[in-house]
Amino acid sequence: MQKDALGRLTIDTKALRSNYRLLQDKVGATVRVSAVVKANAYGLGAVHIAKYLKEEGCVDFFVANWQEGQKLRAAHPDINIMVLNGFYPDVGEIYLNDTLIPVLDSRDEITSYGAFARKVGRQLPAMIHCNTGMNRLGMDMPLVHEIAGDPAMMAGIDLICVMSHLACADEKDHPLNEHQRAAFAEIAALFPNVPKALANSSGIFLGSDYHHDMVRPGMALYGLNPVPYADKNPMAPVITLDLPVICKRSTPSGAAIGYGAAHIFAQETCVATLSGGYADGIFRSLSNKGALYWRGVRCPIIGRISMDMLSVDLSAVPNEQRPEIGDRLELIGPHQSAADIGDLIEGSFDYEVLTSLSPRYERIYTH
């Protein structure tokens, strides 16, 4: 087989669509299911992901910043794009021209966005983010009450949704969930004619009291597990990632491999070197700890992972069945999930594994 220098990230769009439909069924037809596509749709490719979700009826997409919104708008003129990090007045014309909807989270943002709206002579759409306990972004309760009681504060602004964000929804019994639900219910009562949004991926599974008018899944769409406390992940796996063999050799007993001679061979060993390293989002901390799979057989990573390469021990694979140059080993797939990899890395988890996926990987969208 011919040598291939690129890792290959395969995105199963049927599984993506299935996950969207599952979430829509979970919340019911009266609740809008949006899609969080920030960080390039968690590494899967926001422009492509939006295309497939649009075909399932999704019209609301959340990005982190205006740069992401501008790129998405260029490909999709017919969707709603909300910017979670709010409004930046020095690029107000970009919000205007690309119809980007800011999620406002402070008095200053309300003031600057309202002033910009009046300057251009238009009523401009916005959401507001209320802090119910996450304590990152969001308006605290006194300001929320002030806005509700003084419509003049929102002059020039068309308030299209009130939202908050759950901090511990992946822990179903965490007391902060109920605290945030109750706090948001109080906020919702202040804005009776405005749509509300509270639930993220995991929040959808906390029950209908968290659903309101719109839910904002991200990770669940991409196959990550929104209910880690349950016996089974309800979402279909969306991605596989495999790396090509670019070199294969028999390494003698006593020899070392890689930087720092971090692995010494106790016996003669068949080794495959693969194209993919920490520049591709394969954490260096997986050195001498992680593994890839060849036809279901675990092949341990040996030595240090370098910028563009890593090596695996093929000893567990029968000699006549070992991969050749150009064959591909599975890093993420049926034998190892992003969550499995995250569990091997202290302080990491599946979100980080997914969002670290390199732009160097060839991305293939299967239908």
Side-chain angles (χ1 to χ4, degrees):
M1 185 178 289
Q2 188 174 6
K3 185 188 241 184
D4 192 334
L6 291 175
R8 183 172 59 200
L9 179 64
T10 303
I11 296 100
D12 182 344
T13 65
K14 287 184 179 178
L16 175 74
R17 293 169 183 269
S18 173
N19 289 341
Y20 185 84
R21 291 193 297 269
L22 183 151
L23 296 175
Q24 185 68 76
D25 290 344
K26 186 78 176 173
V27 300
T30 61
V31 178
R32 290 170 71 155
V33 178
S34 66
V36 178
V37 292
K38 61 183 180 176
N40 200 26
Y42 291 44
L44 276 62
V47 168
H48 289 86
I49 294 301
K51 172 183 180 294
Y52 300 115
L53 293 179
K54 270 175 32 179
E55 293 170 358
E56 292 299 321
C58 185
V59 296
D60 302 302
F61 294 83
F62 286 84
V63 297
N65 52 50
W66 65 264
Q67 293 93 334
E68 290 182 345
Q70 191 175 40
K71 183 176 180 180
L72 189 61
R73 175 61 75 211
H76 298 288
D78 55 346
I79 61 176
N80 301 323
I81 300 175
M82 277 67 73
V83 180
L84 288 165
N85 288 1
F87 178 65
Y88 295 83
D90 56 337
V91 290
E93 293 295 330
I94 292 176
Y95 284 78
L96 181 66
N97 295 335
D98 288 330
T99 322
L100 304 181
I101 302 171
V103 180
L104 308 176
D105 72 348
S106 69
R107 185 187 300 273
D108 286 346
E109 283 198 331
I110 289 174
T111 300
S112 63
Y113 192 59
F116 179 71
R118 292 188 293 275
K119 175 184 173 183
V120 299
R122 289 171 56 180
Q123 191 86 352
L124 297 180
M127 298 176 65
I128 61 170
H129 184 177
C130 305
N131 177 28
T132 56
M134 174 73 93
N135 290 311
R136 298 186 312 181
L137 302 177
M139 304 175 193
D140 292 331
M141 278 296 194
L143 178 55
V144 174
H145 278 272
E146 190 178 343
I147 293 167
D150 183 7
M153 288 185 65
M154 299 290 284
I157 300 173
D158 177 18
L159 182 58
I160 64 167
C161 189
V162 175
M163 66 163 276
S164 189
H165 191 56
L166 296 168
C168 303
D170 59 339
E171 301 174 50
K172 68 173 181 176
D173 297 321
H174 198 289
L176 188 54
N177 291 328
E178 172 57 24
H179 171 83
Q180 290 193 267
R181 185 208 63 75
F184 194 68
E186 178 185 339
I187 292 167
L190 298 173
F191 300 92
N193 300 315
V194 180
K196 301 12 171 246
L198 175 63
N200 51 15
S201 288
S202 294
I204 291 170
F205 292 83
L206 293 177
S208 59
D209 286 349
Y210 293 81
H211 295 166
H212 295 277
D213 302 292
M214 177 193 288
V215 293
R216 304 184 314 276
M219 55 92 90
L221 292 170
Y222 312 128
L224 301 186
N225 188 4
V227 288
Y229 48 81
D231 293 333
K232 183 181 179 182
N233 181 0
M235 314 314 298
V238 173
I239 72 163
T240 57
L241 174 60
D242 51 52
L243 306 181
V245 177
I246 57 174
C247 183
K248 182 181 170 186
R249 63 163 27 93
S250 181
T251 306
S253 174
I257 189 167
Y259 287 116
H263 178 85
I264 307 294
F265 293 98
Q267 59 189 19
E268 184 177 359
T269 303
C270 185
V271 174
T273 296
L274 313 179
S275 176
Y278 57 76
D280 301 297
I282 304 169
F283 300 113
R284 192 168 179 264
S285 53
L286 291 171
S287 300
N288 288 318
K289 183 189 295 185
L292 286 85
Y293 286 79
W294 170 250
R295 296 178 179 173
V297 178
R298 186 179 187 273
C299 301
I301 296 172
I302 49 176
R304 289 183 187 168
I305 295 171
S306 56
M307 184 180 292
D308 310 300
M309 290 176 280
L310 60 84
S311 297
V312 297
D313 182 344
L314 298 178
S315 298
V317 182
N319 186 55
E320 68 279 4
Q321 298 176 21
R322 287 172 180 166
E324 301 296 336
I325 290 175
D327 285 330
R328 294 172 172 275
L329 276 69
E330 169 199 326
L331 180 60
I332 299 174
H335 301 97
Q336 180 167 256
S337 67
D340 294 330
I341 295 172
D343 288 344
L344 293 173
I345 306 165
E346 185 175 357
S348 187
F349 68 148
D350 47 5
Y351 283 64
E352 187 175 19
V353 173
L354 212 60
T355 57
S356 298
L357 296 172
S358 171
R360 297 200 295 191
Y361 295 135
E362 177 188 12
R363 282 163 169 75
I364 298 173
Y365 298 86
T366 62
H367 305 280

